[in-house]
Amino acid sequence: MKLNPQQQEAVEYLGGALFVLAGAGSGKTRVITEKIAYMLQSGYKPHHIAAITFTNKAAKEMQERITQRLGKERTRGLTVSTFHALGMRILREEAGHIGYKKNFSILDSSDSAKIIAEMLDTTGREAIFKAQHQISLWKNNLLEPAQVYALCEDEWQTQIAQVYTLYQETLLHYQAVDFDDLIRLPAILLRDNREVRQKWQTRLQYLLVDECQDTNACQYMLLKLLTGLEARFTVVGDDDQSIYAWRGANMENLRRLQEDYPQLKVIKLEQNYRSTARILRIANALIGHNPKLFPKTLWSNLGEGEAARIVACRDETHEAEYVVGQIQANKAIYGANYADFAILYRGNHQARVFEETLRAARIPYQISGGQSFYDKSEIKDVLAYMRLLANPNDDPAFLRAATAPKRGIGDMTLGKLNEYAKAHECSLWAASGSLNALAELSTKSREAVQQFMALLRDYQLRAAQDAAGDVIQDLLADIRYEDYLIDLNAENIKSAENRWRNVQDLCDWLRRKSDEDGRNLIELSQTIALMTLLEGKDGEEVDAVKLSTLHASKGLEYPFVYLVGCEEGLFPHADSVEEGGLEEERRLMYVGITRAKQQLTMTYCKKRKRAGAWQYPEPSRFFDEMPSDDVVQSGRGQGAAVSQEQGRKNSQALLAMLDRKMGK
């Protein structure tokens, strides 16, 4: 398909800083792909170009498109990665400048939570999460521990500031970084070290950044530092789809672009290739109630389409039955696949009743945000060994590896080693090799620790030179990990077999990666840690109805979309309204609407049970901001749109009619 004039202009503009205002469904990924092809044809070298995305999935899709367009040879050396992957690359190469070794560990949120919990001396999940979140926000705003004390508004924040200080000291001691540090540390390094900054500006001479409305202060700083005074970059984004303020994203970065780069060129992509005209008119009217940084109006050549439906339901059970009935009917009418349908909601707790109803109707479904492959306990066990072989200072990895499988190193032994490590400011690995520390242990425990350390040292030598998959496979055989899984799941051998199969899948993946690009176990341990933190946690694509939060639905599209729970207090969420976040809630509704290609249905309940009591919410205020000519409302001001029994009868009659038409 030929590029439209605005897309073509965005592809060919290389005159300086460029902002492509890309509305929903306007083909922004294609623009980035075509621009890279155009740049390579115009004389740019692949290794001087970096395309930056927010998810592994987006990076992979972009890499595949570019390779398909130009071939592997012409794109060799091109960087297509997430912000965090680029940050890891910079850190790995420049670690010595900030007191780190090249083989640093990357901690996941559960490892970080354990460290913070110990500092807070609590096991309360909410307190730990709040502390993690606050520290993450400080990091994303490039605030050092010493700077945050002056910003603390109460005693709790002061306590978390103290934890932040200790937490960073602990990470350095472990030679580890967390997710936020992968961008924060490179940004600080480039800011403070002129030589390193010039080196990377010379290496990456043009940056293309997707979803720039989702950048936080740290990511924006990294962009500025990498592009330098010449401002050779293209950023693509949409202020109307900025929905991640809760995790540090700052839409003000779009405003700062205009201030920091007065010659910034803005090109608008307003033609939508996804949705019908009526869906887009609803979206435009709704988002028009927000103040605009960059005004735009989406339009489409895909025809008028159906009016959207707003349906009142009696309660959440009836809401689920209505939606599932509609899915059954539409599947029959249009010959659609189950994967063509999405049920989108404001909060994860809303999924349960839809799951129950879909199961009762024997309809396959997939929940966005299910358990990640890398979150499985057996995979985390193997990764702990990988991390420890790569970085002996990684105490969280040491603790997990020492006890999986059980090998006579119990809590008392680990406690004594930990006391020695703290007193002598060393790692558990170093403590386990100290004769003085070992002397404090019983003979049996001492022998168990020595055997464990001998095993690790043998494999540490192999880790730097042998294929990663072979190293781990041999290690698993030596520690009899398969037998450990069988003992652990003695009452469910099937579960043990599945878990061992997962481990074998990981080993196979490690072998493939080693064969493809020669990375050893040490390098792959960092790559996997990053994948664990960034992946969308969705399984492989299957023919199933998609259940997803609105936040997780961004970037996706479906022929049939059901926005459920559109009630005051739920959507818009009461907390967001109270805290002045109504504009972001409206953007979230806009994102939900623009996921729909063909048919849009929005539902709300006249009563909903919360904390065991019935509540009677008002319909979402957003309904009143939609053009009446493009929506059809059912049941507002009356009883439920249809009774459950009548819904079943309607469905049965519809299916019977279709059977007659098809001559069955």
Side-chain angles (χ1 to χ4, degrees):
M1 187 174 68
K2 190 178 179 184
L3 294 172
N4 67 39
Q6 292 74 30
Q7 290 174 328
Q8 191 69 46
E9 184 184 10
V11 164
E12 295 180 0
Y13 184 78
L14 295 173
L18 171 65
F19 172 41
V20 180
L21 179 63
S26 62
K28 64 184 177 64
T29 304
R30 185 165 180 238
V31 166
I32 295 173
T33 303
E34 290 296 323
K35 180 150 194 165
I36 291 171
Y38 179 78
M39 291 174 68
L40 293 175
Q41 290 162 353
S42 302
Y44 272 87
K45 302 297 182 188
H47 57 275
H48 286 155
I49 303 171
I52 312 300
T53 69
F54 271 82
T55 66
N56 284 326
K57 184 178 178 182
K60 184 180 178 184
E61 179 188 345
M62 196 176 291
Q63 182 73 66
E64 286 172 351
R65 286 198 193 189
I66 294 166
T67 303
Q68 191 175 26
R69 173 84 167 74
L70 296 170
K72 272 190 177 181
E73 283 304 314
R74 294 184 64 190
T75 58
R76 196 178 301 281
L78 177 71
T79 296
V80 181
S81 74
T82 61
F83 266 109
H84 293 86
L86 178 61
M88 183 179 77
R89 179 178 156 195
I90 295 171
L91 271 185
R92 189 183 279 164
E93 195 165 323
E94 312 295 348
H97 291 285
I98 55 170
Y100 274 86
K101 296 175 183 175
K102 184 179 178 180
N103 57 340
F104 58 86
S105 294
I106 302 171
L107 302 189
D108 63 21
S109 60
S110 62
D111 288 326
S112 298
K114 286 173 186 172
I115 296 169
I116 289 170
E118 191 174 328
M119 292 171 178
L120 286 173
D121 194 21
T122 182
T123 56
R125 279 188 175 185
E126 188 175 351
I128 296 166
F129 173 79
K130 280 181 68 179
Q132 272 188 295
H133 185 61
Q134 181 60 70
I135 290 170
S136 178
L137 289 178
W138 281 333
K139 287 190 175 190
N140 288 336
N141 283 309
L142 271 177
L143 294 170
E144 295 296 294
Q147 296 174 288
V148 301
Y149 286 97
L151 304 174
C152 293
E153 298 175 353
D154 53 38
E155 190 177 328
W156 177 82
Q157 283 197 342
T158 302
Q159 181 189 9
I160 304 308
Q162 292 167 345
V163 169
Y164 181 19
T165 303
L166 291 171
Y167 175 66
Q168 285 309 112
E169 290 172 357
T170 301
L171 290 188
L172 185 59
H173 176 68
Y174 290 167
Q175 283 290 289
V177 299
D178 64 15
F179 192 52
D180 297 316
D181 283 337
L182 287 171
I183 299 173
R184 185 183 72 91
L185 292 176
I188 292 171
L189 175 61
L190 293 178
R191 181 193 67 193
D192 297 343
N193 191 313
R194 185 166 174 264
E195 186 180 333
V196 173
R197 182 169 67 248
Q198 288 179 337
K199 170 185 170 181
W200 283 91
Q201 286 176 355
T202 302
R203 183 178 298 183
L204 301 178
Q205 295 180 8
Y206 200 97
L207 258 62
L208 301 100
V209 179
D210 194 10
E211 305 285 11
C212 65
Q213 78 280 348
D214 293 335
T215 55
N216 56 41
C218 221
Q219 290 159 335
Y220 183 79
M221 174 68 78
L222 190 61
L223 166 68
K224 282 186 67 177
L225 292 166
L226 285 171
T227 53
L229 296 174
E230 295 186 35
R232 290 175 294 193
F233 66 79
T234 294
V235 295
V236 182
D238 180 5
D239 53 331
D240 291 334
Q241 295 187 73
S242 179
I243 59 172
Y244 296 117
W246 52 275
R247 69 181 189 198
N250 188 353
M251 196 173 70
E252 284 300 303
N253 287 341
L254 298 184
R255 196 188 309 277
R256 288 177 64 190
L257 271 175
Q258 295 176 297
E259 297 169 357
D260 292 342
Y261 304 98
Q263 303 305 313
L264 180 74
K265 184 175 180 63
V266 179
I267 298 174
K268 298 180 184 181
L269 304 184
E270 297 173 290
Q271 182 174 357
N272 176 284
Y273 295 93
R274 175 188 299 158
S275 308
T276 61
R278 286 184 117 164
I279 290 171
L280 295 180
R281 282 202 294 269
I282 293 168
N284 288 330
L286 173 82
I287 206 65
H289 287 77
N290 272 3
K292 291 287 193 176
L293 273 176
F294 302 95
K296 68 175 184 307
T297 303
L298 295 180
W299 60 276
S300 168
N301 278 332
L302 299 176
E304 280 289 288
E306 304 176 27
R309 284 174 287 181
I310 297 174
V311 180
C313 299
R314 183 165 56 252
D315 54 32
E316 54 261 55
T317 300
H318 177 231
E319 181 181 45
E321 290 181 344
Y322 171 78
V323 169
V324 171
Q326 288 296 304
I327 289 172
Q328 290 172 314
N330 281 324
K331 187 176 190 306
I333 293 168
Y334 295 99
N337 296 317
Y338 284 121
D340 293 332
F341 299 89
I343 301 171
L344 308 181
Y345 36 78
R346 181 65 178 80
N348 277 311
H349 65 277
Q350 294 170 256
R352 182 187 56 79
V353 67
F354 289 97
E355 285 190 78
E356 291 172 354
T357 310
L358 287 163
R359 278 200 301 269
R362 301 196 175 190
I363 294 175
Y365 64 90
Q366 186 180 40
I367 298 185
S368 176
Q371 189 187 30
S372 160
F373 176 77
Y374 299 103
D375 275 341
K376 296 179 188 296
S377 62
E378 63 273 18
I379 300 302
K380 295 192 86 166
D381 287 345
V382 178
L383 296 184
Y385 280 96
M386 290 182 64
R387 283 167 46 186
L388 191 55
L389 293 176
N391 173 19
N393 292 304
D394 190 336
D395 282 1
F398 185 100
L399 290 169
R400 186 165 194 126
T403 54
K406 301 290 185 186
R407 48 169 54 85
I409 303 176
D411 290 343
M412 189 173 292
T413 300
L414 290 170
K416 287 182 178 179
L417 291 174
N418 193 44
E419 285 173 12
Y420 182 90
K422 282 186 175 179
H424 293 80
E425 296 185 347
C426 66
S427 67
L428 286 169
W429 176 293
S432 299
S434 164
L435 293 177
N436 290 332
L438 292 173
E440 298 295 317
L441 307 178
S442 68
T443 302
K444 188 176 178 182
S445 295
R446 182 166 60 250
E447 288 175 353
V449 171
Q450 288 174 325
Q451 287 172 8
F452 179 53
M453 291 303 294
L455 174 87
L456 293 176
R457 289 192 185 101
D458 285 346
Y459 279 95
Q460 193 179 34
L461 293 173
R462 287 188 58 187
Q465 48 198 14
D466 293 354
D470 294 337
V471 172
I472 292 300
Q473 192 77 66
D474 291 348
L475 173 61
L476 293 171
D478 274 353
I479 65 175
R480 299 179 65 189
Y481 190 76
E482 184 177 11
D483 293 340
Y484 165 68
L485 290 178
I486 292 170
D487 291 341
L488 206 61
N489 299 269
E491 296 177 6
N492 189 346
I493 295 301
K494 185 82 173 169
S495 174
E497 290 172 352
N498 288 337
R499 293 176 69 179
W500 180 244
R501 193 176 301 117
N502 289 335
V503 170
Q504 294 305 299
D505 288 344
L506 176 63
C507 291
D508 290 343
W509 183 87
L510 290 169
R511 283 195 194 90
R512 284 199 307 274
K513 284 295 175 185
S514 293
D515 292 343
E516 283 172 14
D517 48 30
R519 278 182 288 180
N520 61 29
L521 183 143
I522 292 171
E523 293 167 328
L524 283 170
S525 70
Q526 292 176 330
T527 301
I528 290 177
L530 193 58
M531 288 170 62
T532 306
L533 292 164
L534 280 172
E535 71 166 13
K537 300 198 176 185
D538 291 326
E540 60 186 53
E541 292 300 319
V542 293
D543 186 24
V545 174
K546 190 64 172 280
L547 271 64
S548 173
T549 63
L550 283 150
H551 283 100
S553 73
K554 189 161 167 287
L556 304 174
E557 57 183 46
Y558 306 91
F560 304 90
V561 167
Y562 300 88
L563 287 180
V564 300
C566 300
E567 303 144 24
E568 287 295 307
L570 189 55
F571 193 26
H573 197 279
D575 291 347
S576 294
V577 174
E578 192 175 318
E579 294 165 9
L582 182 60
E583 289 175 13
E584 179 151 328
E585 290 290 295
R586 189 176 283 113
R587 291 194 292 270
L588 194 55
M589 173 66 90
Y590 174 84
V591 165
I593 291 169
T594 53
R595 299 312 94 201
K597 298 169 71 174
Q598 179 180 333
Q599 191 183 96
L600 172 66
T601 303
M602 295 166 280
T603 64
Y604 66 95
C605 294
K606 296 204 162 189
K607 64 176 183 176
R608 185 179 293 273
K609 190 166 278 189
R610 292 188 189 175
W614 286 108
Q615 295 187 354
Y616 299 85
E618 290 292 316
S620 174
R621 69 186 72 188
F622 296 143
F623 291 156
D624 294 329
E625 299 174 357
M626 299 175 185
S628 56
D629 291 345
D630 294 309
V631 295
V632 174
Q633 300 201 35
S634 303
R636 195 166 186 175
Q638 310 164 18
V642 287
S643 70
Q644 294 173 34
E645 183 59 33
Q646 187 60 47
R648 291 193 196 97
K649 287 179 180 177
N650 290 350
S651 232
Q652 289 166 359
L654 180 62
L655 292 170
M657 178 190 74
L658 286 166
D659 285 345
R660 287 196 300 275
K661 280 188 175 182
M662 297 171 73
K664 289 186 178 177

